[in-house]
Amino acid sequence: MFVPRRGLQRIPSLATCMTPAGGVKRGRPMRSALLSSVLTAALASAAPLPGVLELKAAADQLVPTPITADLGGMPASERKALARLLQAARVMDPLFLRQSWAGSEAWLVKLARDTTPLGQARLRLFLLNQGPWDRLAHYAPFLPGVPPKPASGNFYPAGATKEDVSRWLSTLSPEERARASSFFTTIRRGPNGAFTIVPYSLEYQGELARAAGLLREAAGSTEQPALRSFLEKRAAALLNDDYAESDVAWMQLDTSIDPTFGPYETYEDEWFNQKAAFEAFITVVDAKETEKLKRFSSQLQALENALPMEDRYRNPKIGALAPIRVVNSVFAAGDANRGVQTAAYNLPNDERTVAAHGSKRVLLRNMDLAKFEKTLVPIAKIAIAPDLVRSVQFDPFFTQILMHELMHGIGPQRIVVNGRESTPRAELQEVSSTIEECKADVVGIWAMQRLVSQGQL
Ligand SMILES: [Zn+2]
């Protein structure tokens, strides 16, 4: 999943969904980290801690790139809404920092006050990675005293193991287990030391109240009814943890501004791939490019029907909503702005919503152009014969990203295991993101071959 925002973006490697460690999510943003393994190994072995030069080399793997979007012709009402959305998006940064590790916020404050060359180099890499681990070097820590990146993020009680939590989950009633396994709860210790379930609306109460207020101000400014409806519903969801209705409103957006805002990706929860991290992509729609891709939405049922898998996994009626939006990113924050930037994403991740309504694909065109120019072409010039380089074109690259995202929305969503209703995510746990990304890549190639042979691509 997912570069733009902030004027200068850092574009690394080839992109295809996958937030490197998690990319196109299930909502997977397509990101890709095609790294030099030599460099990675060098950094990883540069222990104990990198100095100024090593920190700079690590940061320079990401190429600063101007990212622009055309806001000309946007009326004052929408510009005002956009400004409020950017303010709301900024609230996602501290939330994401806290969700990925309990110690990150204190480190950020400390680094921000450190004016030495070493302190500034550390701060730069910290901001690029949204934490004290180099995401392009197998999460090597680059600050003193920092532990390995916790696989549990900051979603589970300190000191607990995955086995402790699994055992506790097995003692819960089906209803309580569903709450404990929700995308939108953390697990903490109660006053007696026992595990307890805390909804996001309580855990992150202060920030979410501020974000909801700003979303409502944006809703009050826009003159686009669908955008107003989504923003009001999403603001309510931040405060009551019920995201389903606003997910549907998000899929129905047909507006010039297309914000993605809230807890979505589960990559930071490497125990269960279940807890959603906060992010925001504030984007403006490229209507012309969106129109060109419309026809692909109608192909999904035929592709689902033809998937090379057993019939019992097939969905005879996939969700009716399958919008594809080509957008230009204006700003991104939180999980959407760490490490390798997102190329595209498919959301929501909630299997119930996907099964009932479908999912939406968002392709970040200005980011993808930057990735193409700054990484794909330079790599092609090194990796393939000179007379083939001219065949490396943006449109096929973009189509491949599109196919990857489309494939996230088909295939098994809800399954039955030993008579019990479940999801591939719940069964595959910590490997579910990786397998889902592999599925999207492989099935995407399968779909492209099929559409080409049918003369549709
Ligand atoms: Zn993906």
Side-chain angles (χ1 to χ4, degrees), residues 67-86:
I67 297 292
T68 60
D70 182 8
L71 303 183
M74 183 174 277
S77 60
E78 307 314 304
R79 282 173 178 269
K80 198 171 163 196
L82 198 56
R84 288 292 173 273
L85 288 172
L86 299 194

Side-chain angles (χ1 to χ4, degrees), residues 139-187:
Y139 297 110
F142 54 83
L143 296 178
V146 167
K149 189 172 190 295
S152 54
N154 183 17
F155 302 108
Y156 301 95
T161 65
K162 183 180 178 184
E163 290 65 39
D164 294 336
V165 175
S166 295
R167 202 177 312 118
W168 171 71
L169 286 170
S170 69
T171 66
L172 300 176
S173 69
E175 294 74 27
E176 285 294 283
R177 198 180 312 134
R179 282 187 66 224
S181 301
S182 161
F183 290 105
F184 315 121
T185 59
T186 59
I187 309 302

